[in-house]
Amino acid sequence: MSSELELDLWIKRDDLTGFAFGGNKGRKLEFLMADVIAQWAEVVVTCGSAQSNFIRQLGAACSRFGIHCAAAVMGLPYEERRPNVTKELARGGNVTLDEILGIELRVLPDGTWEELYAQADTLAAEFREKGKKVYSIPIGGSSPLGAYAFYVAAQEIKAQSEAFDTIIFASSSGSTHTGLAHAFHGTATRVRGIACDPEPEIADDFAKLSGQLEHLVGHGFTLTPKDFDLDFRFVGDGYGIPSEAGNRAIVKLARTEGVFLDPIYSGKAFSGLLKLAEEGAIGNRVLFWHTGGTPALFV
Ligand SMILES: *Cc1c(COP(=O)(O)O)cnc(C)c1O
């Protein structure tokens, strides 16, 4: 791939962390589960799309500690209804793994993100009414501790390698992007998220998360929405809907390096990398942060 793109390409293999089929959510769970246990929670509640990688890895982490895991899910939390896509996403891949893990899934009809978050709150309230100690985690594990996990991940890559000109990855609920952007702020390394969610307002949420992360790391600055380099050109038809360019990128990397990407996140991100490389916009030493997601190939 490096010689084809005429640059020095590296891949950070978070798809190979070894926990529950891998992926970036394992890093967040290292810190989130410690907090769940410290608070003596009996039930962990979250929400996401049917093919959420976070729900799968969270369920596996809860299994390890004998904690019940429940999640409100929608096939496709997206304004524009796509019943056929929703139906496809409702089985196989992560859903199969969620079922094996015994995660309690409350499957809702498609609606907006806000409706999904509200249903997670309702689910948590129901457990509290039954006297359970509940720990709620926002979508994708993007709490301050989730962002902290990627701030720590940035220290890991700094220790492993000379500086990169650009770091590219799939960005959605924001803790991956926020942790990395915070850690590389003011350095020569440009942190570029390829958005997998079409709403530009997400940069406002990322900035808010940066403020919360700042309480944990104390660097004396908070990032603003403008500090987040988010490229929206590769979302395709919307969150969770595979794109043609993304699917081509999956095939290309598999046939060049034998490395698998996924259709919802990392494939779209790699399609962005290919385009940015063509535009000469990413320098020479480039890191693709592979965030995982490969179970969705089996949908
Ligand atoms: C969740 C996820 C992302 C996005 O990470 P965020 O921290 O939610 O922005 C990217 N790739 C994969 C495979 C994911 O599961």
Side-chain angles (χ1 to χ4, degrees):
M1 212 65 238
S2 285
S3 57
E4 197 175 317
L5 299 178
E6 293 176 0
L7 46 78
D8 188 16
L9 178 67
W10 292 73
I11 305 182
K12 182 69 165 156
R13 301 293 303 272
D14 275 9
D15 57 321
L16 298 182
T17 55
F19 182 67
F21 288 93
N24 64 340
K25 306 309 184 304
R27 287 187 184 274
K28 305 183 193 183
L29 286 164
E30 182 179 348
F31 296 96
L32 288 166
M33 290 310 291
D35 198 32
V36 167
I37 292 160
Q39 305 211 11
W40 294 91
E42 298 161 283
V43 183
V44 175
V45 174
T46 192
C47 63
S49 64
Q51 289 297 333
S52 164
N53 297 301
F54 179 62
I55 293 174
R56 177 239 316 161
Q57 285 199 286
L58 174 65
C62 285
S63 291
R64 291 271 283 262
F65 297 103
I67 295 167
H68 185 66
C69 180
V73 301
M74 286 180 181
L76 209 56
Y78 188 54
E79 317 289 338
E80 198 182 319
R81 304 283 183 274
R82 302 282 183 113
N84 291 336
V85 184
T86 298
K87 212 169 129 202
E88 260 174 50
L89 294 171
R91 300 188 54 236
N94 283 300
V95 178
T96 300
L97 302 173
D98 293 351
E99 285 168 357
I100 292 171
L101 288 162
I103 300 171
E104 181 180 336
L105 297 176
R106 176 162 301 177
V107 183
L108 307 158
D110 285 350
T112 64
W113 294 105
E114 284 65 32
E115 282 161 357
L116 181 61
Y117 305 156
Q119 288 295 331
D121 291 343
T122 303
L123 192 54
E126 287 171 17
F127 280 111
R128 280 194 195 99
E129 272 162 32
K130 287 184 207 150
K132 298 285 186 197
K133 174 100 172 122
V134 179
Y135 190 105
S136 289
I137 304 183
I139 193 157
S142 282
S143 69
L145 285 174
Y148 182 72
F150 266 88
Y151 173 83
V152 172
Q155 313 313 318
E156 179 182 305
I157 200 74
K158 283 178 186 175
Q160 285 175 330
S161 169
E162 286 166 45
F164 291 96
D165 295 321
T166 309
I167 300 178
I168 297 179
F169 53 92
S171 186
S172 175
S173 72
S175 43
T176 301
H177 202 154
T178 302
L180 294 178
H182 213 95
F184 285 101
H185 187 66
T187 74
T189 300
R190 193 162 163 198
V191 172
R192 301 187 76 153
I194 306 296
C196 298
D197 181 331
E199 299 150 290
E201 318 83 80
I202 59 176
D204 300 339
D205 299 337
F206 293 11
K208 211 177 291 167
L209 193 54
S210 166
Q212 294 165 329
L213 173 61
E214 175 54 21
H215 287 298
L216 298 175
V217 298
H219 276 336
F221 64 82
T222 295
L223 302 177
T224 67
K226 281 202 205 75
D227 292 320
F228 289 93
D229 191 335
L230 268 165
D231 196 328
F232 288 91
R233 290 178 293 166
F234 307 98
V235 180
D237 279 351
Y239 172 79
I241 304 170
S243 69
E244 261 175 51
N247 290 347
R248 276 199 304 274
I250 292 172
V251 169
K252 190 177 185 68
L253 191 65
R255 294 186 187 179
T256 312
E257 299 289 351
V259 171
F260 291 104
L261 300 164
D262 84 282
I264 298 174
Y265 298 100
S266 54
K268 289 181 180 178
F270 203 77
S271 76
L273 184 150
L274 294 173
K275 182 73 181 165
L276 289 165
E278 195 183 298
E279 293 169 353
I282 47 179
N284 179 53
R285 205 174 146 75
V286 175
L287 178 69
F288 179 67
W289 204 299
H290 191 329
T291 48
T294 46
L297 284 171
F298 303 100
V299 169

Coordinates of all heavy atoms in Angstrom, one line a residue, residues 237-298:
D237 N -24.3 7.6 2.1 CA -25.8 7.9 2.3 C -26.2 8.1 3.7 O -27.3 8.4 4.0 CB -26.6 6.8 1.7 CG -26.8 6.9 0.2 OD1 -26.4 8.0 -0.3 OD2 -27.3 6.0 -0.5
G238 N -25.3 7.9 4.7 CA -25.6 8.2 6.0 C -25.0 7.2 7.0 O -24.3 6.3 6.6
Y239 N -25.1 7.5 8.3 CA -24.5 6.7 9.3 C -25.0 5.2 9.2 O -26.2 5.0 9.0 CB -24.9 7.2 10.7 CG -24.4 6.2 11.8 CD1 -23.1 6.1 12.1 CD2 -25.3 5.2 12.3 CE1 -22.6 5.2 13.0 CE2 -24.8 4.3 13.2 CZ -23.5 4.3 13.5 OH -23.1 3.3 14.4
G240 N -24.1 4.3 9.2 CA -24.5 2.9 9.2 C -24.8 2.3 7.8 O -24.9 1.1 7.7
I241 N -24.9 3.2 6.8 CA -25.2 2.7 5.4 C -23.8 2.5 4.7 O -23.1 3.5 4.5 CB -26.1 3.7 4.7 CG1 -27.4 3.9 5.5 CG2 -26.5 3.1 3.3 CD1 -28.3 5.0 5.0
P242 N -23.5 1.3 4.3 CA -22.2 1.2 3.6 C -22.2 2.1 2.3 O -23.2 2.3 1.7 CB -22.2 -0.3 3.2 CG -23.1 -1.0 4.2 CD -24.2 0.0 4.5
S243 N -21.0 2.5 2.0 CA -20.8 3.4 0.8 C -20.0 2.6 -0.3 O -19.3 1.7 0.0 CB -20.0 4.7 1.1 OG -18.7 4.3 1.4
E244 N -20.2 3.0 -1.5 CA -19.5 2.3 -2.6 C -18.0 2.5 -2.4 O -17.2 1.6 -2.6 CB -19.9 2.9 -4.0 CG -20.9 2.1 -4.7 CD -21.4 2.7 -5.9 OE1 -20.5 3.2 -6.8 OE2 -22.6 2.8 -6.1
A245 N -17.6 3.8 -2.2 CA -16.1 4.0 -2.0 C -15.5 3.2 -0.8 O -14.4 2.7 -0.9 CB -15.9 5.5 -1.8
G246 N -16.3 3.1 0.2 CA -15.9 2.4 1.4 C -15.7 0.9 1.1 O -14.7 0.3 1.5
N247 N -16.7 0.4 0.4 CA -16.6 -1.0 0.0 C -15.4 -1.3 -0.9 O -14.8 -2.3 -0.8 CB -17.9 -1.5 -0.6 CG -19.1 -1.6 0.4 OD1 -18.8 -1.5 1.6 ND2 -20.3 -1.7 -0.1
R248 N -15.1 -0.3 -1.8 CA -14.0 -0.5 -2.7 C -12.7 -0.5 -1.9 O -11.7 -1.2 -2.1 CB -13.9 0.6 -3.7 CG -14.8 0.3 -5.0 CD -14.3 1.2 -6.2 NE -14.3 2.7 -5.8 CZ -15.4 3.4 -5.9 NH1 -16.6 2.9 -6.4 NH2 -15.4 4.7 -5.6
A249 N -12.7 0.4 -0.9 CA -11.5 0.5 0.0 C -11.2 -0.8 0.8 O -10.1 -1.2 1.0 CB -11.6 1.7 1.0
I250 N -12.3 -1.4 1.2 CA -12.2 -2.7 1.9 C -11.6 -3.8 1.0 O -10.6 -4.4 1.5 CB -13.6 -3.2 2.4 CG1 -14.2 -2.3 3.4 CG2 -13.6 -4.7 2.8 CD1 -15.7 -2.7 3.8
V251 N -12.0 -3.8 -0.2 CA -11.5 -4.8 -1.1 C -10.0 -4.5 -1.4 O -9.1 -5.4 -1.4 CB -12.3 -4.8 -2.4 CG1 -11.6 -5.6 -3.6 CG2 -13.7 -5.4 -2.2
K252 N -9.7 -3.2 -1.6 CA -8.4 -2.8 -2.0 C -7.4 -3.2 -0.9 O -6.3 -3.8 -1.1 CB -8.3 -1.3 -2.2 CG -7.0 -0.8 -2.8 CD -7.1 0.7 -3.1 CE -5.9 1.2 -3.9 NZ -5.8 0.6 -5.2
L253 N -7.7 -2.8 0.4 CA -6.7 -3.1 1.5 C -6.6 -4.6 1.7 O -5.5 -5.1 1.9 CB -7.1 -2.4 2.8 CG -6.0 -2.5 3.8 CD1 -4.8 -1.7 3.4 CD2 -6.5 -2.0 5.2
A254 N -7.7 -5.4 1.6 CA -7.6 -6.8 1.7 C -6.8 -7.4 0.7 O -5.9 -8.3 0.9 CB -9.1 -7.4 1.7
R255 N -6.9 -7.0 -0.6 CA -6.2 -7.6 -1.7 C -4.7 -7.1 -1.8 O -3.9 -7.7 -2.5 CB -6.9 -7.3 -3.0 CG -8.3 -8.1 -3.0 CD -9.0 -8.0 -4.3 NE -10.3 -8.6 -4.1 CZ -11.2 -8.6 -5.1 NH1 -10.9 -8.2 -6.3 NH2 -12.4 -9.2 -4.9
T256 N -4.4 -6.0 -1.1 CA -3.0 -5.5 -1.1 C -2.2 -6.0 0.1 O -1.1 -6.3 0.0 CB -3.0 -3.9 -1.1 OG1 -3.9 -3.5 -2.1 CG2 -1.6 -3.4 -1.4
E257 N -2.9 -6.0 1.3 CA -2.2 -6.3 2.5 C -2.8 -7.5 3.3 O -2.2 -7.9 4.3 CB -2.2 -5.1 3.4 CG -1.5 -3.8 2.9 CD 0.0 -3.9 2.8 OE1 0.5 -4.9 3.4 OE2 0.6 -3.0 2.2
G258 N -3.9 -8.0 2.9 CA -4.6 -9.0 3.7 C -5.1 -8.5 5.0 O -5.3 -9.3 5.9
V259 N -5.5 -7.2 5.0 CA -6.0 -6.6 6.2 C -7.5 -6.3 6.0 O -7.8 -5.7 4.9 CB -5.2 -5.3 6.6 CG1 -6.0 -4.6 7.7 CG2 -3.8 -5.7 7.1
F260 N -8.4 -6.7 6.9 CA -9.8 -6.4 6.7 C -10.3 -5.1 7.4 O -9.9 -4.9 8.5 CB -10.6 -7.6 7.3 CG -10.5 -8.8 6.4 CD1 -9.7 -9.9 6.9 CD2 -11.1 -9.0 5.2 CE1 -9.6 -11.0 6.1 CE2 -11.0 -10.1 4.4 CZ -10.2 -11.2 4.9
L261 N -11.1 -4.4 6.7 CA -11.8 -3.2 7.3 C -13.2 -3.5 7.4 O -13.7 -4.6 7.1 CB -11.6 -2.0 6.3 CG -10.1 -1.6 6.0 CD1 -10.1 -0.7 4.8 CD2 -9.5 -0.9 7.2
D262 N -14.0 -2.6 7.9 CA -15.5 -2.8 8.0 C -16.3 -1.8 7.2 O -15.8 -0.7 6.9 CB -15.9 -2.7 9.5 CG -16.1 -1.3 9.9 OD1 -15.2 -0.6 10.2 OD2 -17.3 -0.9 10.0
P263 N -17.5 -2.1 6.9 CA -18.3 -1.2 6.0 C -18.9 0.0 6.6 O -19.3 1.0 5.9 CB -19.4 -2.1 5.5 CG -19.6 -3.2 6.5 CD -18.2 -3.4 7.1
I264 N -18.9 0.1 8.0 CA -19.6 1.2 8.6 C -18.6 2.3 9.0 O -19.0 3.5 9.0 CB -20.5 0.7 9.8 CG1 -21.6 -0.2 9.3 CG2 -21.1 1.9 10.6 CD1 -22.4 -0.9 10.3
Y265 N -17.4 1.9 9.4 CA -16.5 2.9 9.9 C -15.1 2.9 9.2 O -14.8 3.8 8.4 CB -16.2 2.6 11.4 CG -17.3 2.8 12.3 CD1 -18.0 1.6 12.8 CD2 -17.8 4.0 12.8 CE1 -19.1 1.7 13.6 CE2 -18.8 4.1 13.6 CZ -19.5 3.0 14.1 OH -20.6 3.1 14.9
S266 N -14.3 1.8 9.4 CA -12.9 1.8 8.9 C -12.8 1.8 7.4 O -11.9 2.4 6.9 CB -12.1 0.7 9.6 OG -12.8 -0.6 9.4
G267 N -13.8 1.2 6.7 CA -13.8 1.1 5.3 C -14.0 2.6 4.7 O -13.3 3.0 3.8
K268 N -14.9 3.3 5.3 CA -15.2 4.7 4.9 C -13.9 5.5 5.2 O -13.5 6.4 4.4 CB -16.4 5.2 5.6 CG -17.7 4.6 5.1 CD -18.9 5.2 5.8 CE -20.2 4.6 5.2 NZ -21.4 5.1 5.9
A269 N -13.3 5.3 6.4 CA -12.2 6.1 6.8 C -11.0 5.8 5.8 O -10.3 6.7 5.4 CB -11.7 5.7 8.2
F270 N -10.9 4.5 5.4 CA -9.8 4.2 4.5 C -10.0 4.8 3.1 O -9.1 5.2 2.4 CB -9.5 2.7 4.4 CG -8.1 2.4 4.0 CD1 -7.0 2.6 4.9 CD2 -7.8 2.0 2.7 CE1 -5.7 2.4 4.4 CE2 -6.5 1.8 2.3 CZ -5.4 2.0 3.1
S271 N -11.3 4.9 2.7 CA -11.6 5.5 1.4 C -11.2 7.0 1.5 O -10.8 7.6 0.5 CB -13.1 5.3 1.0 OG -13.9 6.2 1.8
G272 N -11.4 7.6 2.7 CA -10.9 9.0 2.8 C -9.4 9.1 2.7 O -8.9 10.0 2.1
L273 N -8.7 8.2 3.4 CA -7.3 8.2 3.3 C -6.8 8.1 1.8 O -5.9 8.8 1.4 CB -6.7 7.0 4.1 CG -5.2 6.9 4.2 CD1 -4.8 6.3 5.6 CD2 -4.5 6.2 3.1
L274 N -7.4 7.2 1.1 CA -7.0 7.1 -0.3 C -7.2 8.4 -1.1 O -6.3 8.8 -1.9 CB -7.8 5.9 -1.0 CG -7.6 4.5 -0.5 CD1 -8.6 3.5 -1.1 CD2 -6.1 4.1 -0.7
K275 N -8.3 9.0 -0.8 CA -8.6 10.3 -1.5 C -7.6 11.4 -1.1 O -7.1 12.1 -1.9 CB -10.1 10.7 -1.2 CG -10.5 11.9 -1.9 CD -10.7 11.7 -3.4 CE -11.2 13.0 -4.1 NZ -11.1 12.9 -5.6
L276 N -7.4 11.5 0.2 CA -6.5 12.5 0.7 C -5.1 12.3 0.2 O -4.4 13.3 0.0 CB -6.6 12.5 2.3 CG -7.9 13.1 2.9 CD1 -8.0 12.7 4.4 CD2 -8.0 14.6 2.7
A277 N -4.7 11.0 0.1 CA -3.4 10.7 -0.4 C -3.3 11.2 -1.9 O -2.3 11.8 -2.3 CB -3.1 9.2 -0.3
E278 N -4.3 11.0 -2.6 CA -4.4 11.4 -4.0 C -4.3 12.9 -4.1 O -3.6 13.5 -5.0 CB -5.7 10.9 -4.6 CG -5.9 10.9 -6.1 CD -7.3 10.5 -6.4 OE1 -7.7 9.3 -6.1 OE2 -8.1 11.3 -7.0
E279 N -4.9 13.6 -3.2 CA -4.9 15.1 -3.1 C -3.6 15.6 -2.6 O -3.4 16.8 -2.6 CB -6.0 15.6 -2.3 CG -7.4 15.3 -2.8 CD -8.6 15.6 -1.9 OE1 -8.3 15.9 -0.7 OE2 -9.7 15.5 -2.3
G280 N -2.7 14.7 -2.2 CA -1.4 15.1 -1.6 C -1.5 15.9 -0.3 O -0.7 16.8 0.0
A281 N -2.6 15.6 0.4 CA -3.0 16.4 1.6 C -2.5 15.9 2.9 O -2.9 16.4 4.0 CB -4.5 16.6 1.6
I282 N -1.8 14.8 3.0 CA -1.5 14.1 4.3 C 0.0 13.9 4.6 O 0.3 13.3 5.5 CB -2.3 12.8 4.4 CG1 -2.1 11.9 3.2 CG2 -3.7 13.1 4.7 CD1 -2.8 10.6 3.3
G283 N 0.9 14.6 3.8 CA 2.3 14.4 4.0 C 2.8 13.1 3.7 O 2.2 12.3 2.9
N284 N 3.9 12.7 4.3 CA 4.6 11.4 3.9 C 4.4 10.3 4.9 O 4.1 9.2 4.5 CB 6.1 11.6 3.6 CG 6.7 10.4 3.2 OD1 6.3 9.7 2.3 ND2 7.8 10.0 3.9
R285 N 4.6 10.7 6.1 CA 4.5 9.6 7.2 C 3.1 9.6 7.7 O 2.7 10.5 8.5 CB 5.5 9.9 8.2 CG 6.0 8.7 9.0 CD 7.1 9.1 9.9 NE 7.0 8.3 11.1 CZ 7.3 7.0 11.2 NH1 7.8 6.4 10.1 NH2 7.2 6.3 12.3
V286 N 2.3 8.6 7.4 CA 0.9 8.6 7.7 C 0.5 7.3 8.5 O 0.9 6.2 8.2 CB 0.1 8.5 6.3 CG1 -1.4 8.4 6.6 CG2 0.4 9.7 5.5
L287 N -0.3 7.6 9.5 CA -0.8 6.5 10.4 C -2.3 6.3 10.1 O -3.1 7.3 10.3 CB -0.5 6.7 11.9 CG -1.1 5.7 12.8 CD1 -0.3 4.4 12.7 CD2 -1.1 6.1 14.2
F288 N -2.7 5.1 9.8 CA -4.1 4.8 9.7 C -4.4 4.1 11.0 O -3.9 3.0 11.3 CB -4.5 3.9 8.5 CG -5.9 3.6 8.5 CD1 -6.9 4.5 8.3 CD2 -6.4 2.3 8.7 CE1 -8.3 4.2 8.2 CE2 -7.7 1.9 8.7 CZ -8.7 2.9 8.4
W289 N -5.3 4.7 11.8 CA -5.7 4.0 13.1 C -6.8 3.1 12.8 O -8.0 3.6 12.6 CB -6.0 5.0 14.2 CG -5.8 4.5 15.6 CD1 -6.5 3.4 16.1 CD2 -4.9 5.0 16.6 NE1 -6.0 3.2 17.4 CE2 -5.1 4.1 17.7 CE3 -4.0 6.0 16.6 CZ2 -4.3 4.3 18.9 CZ3 -3.3 6.2 17.8 CH2 -3.4 5.4 18.9
H290 N -6.6 1.8 12.8 CA -7.6 0.8 12.4 C -8.5 0.6 13.7 O -8.0 0.0 14.6 CB -7.0 -0.5 12.0 CG -8.0 -1.5 11.4 ND1 -9.3 -1.6 11.8 CD2 -7.8 -2.4 10.4 CE1 -9.9 -2.5 11.0 NE2 -9.0 -3.0 10.2
T291 N -9.7 1.1 13.7 CA -10.6 1.1 14.8 C -11.4 -0.2 15.0 O -12.2 -0.3 15.9 CB -11.5 2.3 14.8 OG1 -12.1 2.4 13.5 CG2 -10.7 3.6 15.1
G292 N -11.2 -1.2 14.1 CA -11.9 -2.5 14.2 C -13.2 -2.5 13.4 O -13.3 -2.0 12.3
G293 N -14.2 -3.2 14.0 CA -15.5 -3.2 13.4 C -15.7 -4.4 12.5 O -16.8 -4.5 11.9
T294 N -14.8 -5.3 12.3 CA -14.8 -6.3 11.3 C -16.0 -7.3 11.4 O -16.4 -7.8 10.4 CB -13.5 -7.1 11.2 OG1 -13.1 -7.4 12.5 CG2 -12.5 -6.3 10.5
P295 N -16.6 -7.5 12.6 CA -17.8 -8.4 12.7 C -18.9 -7.9 11.7 O -19.7 -8.7 11.2 CB -18.3 -8.3 14.1 CG -17.0 -8.1 14.9 CD -16.2 -7.1 14.0
A296 N -19.0 -6.6 11.4 CA -20.1 -6.1 10.5 C -19.9 -6.6 9.1 O -20.8 -6.4 8.2 CB -20.1 -4.6 10.6
L297 N -18.7 -7.2 8.8 CA -18.5 -7.7 7.4 C -19.5 -8.9 7.2 O -19.7 -9.3 6.1 CB -17.1 -8.2 7.3 CG -16.0 -7.2 7.0 CD1 -14.6 -7.8 7.1 CD2 -16.2 -6.5 5.7
F298 N -19.9 -9.5 8.3 CA -20.7 -10.7 8.3 C -22.2 -10.5 8.4 O -23.0 -11.3 8.8 CB -20.2 -11.7 9.3 CG -18.8 -12.0 9.2 CD1 -17.8 -11.4 10.0 CD2 -18.3 -12.9 8.2 CE1 -16.5 -11.7 9.8 CE2 -17.0 -13.1 8.0 CZ -16.0 -12.5 8.8

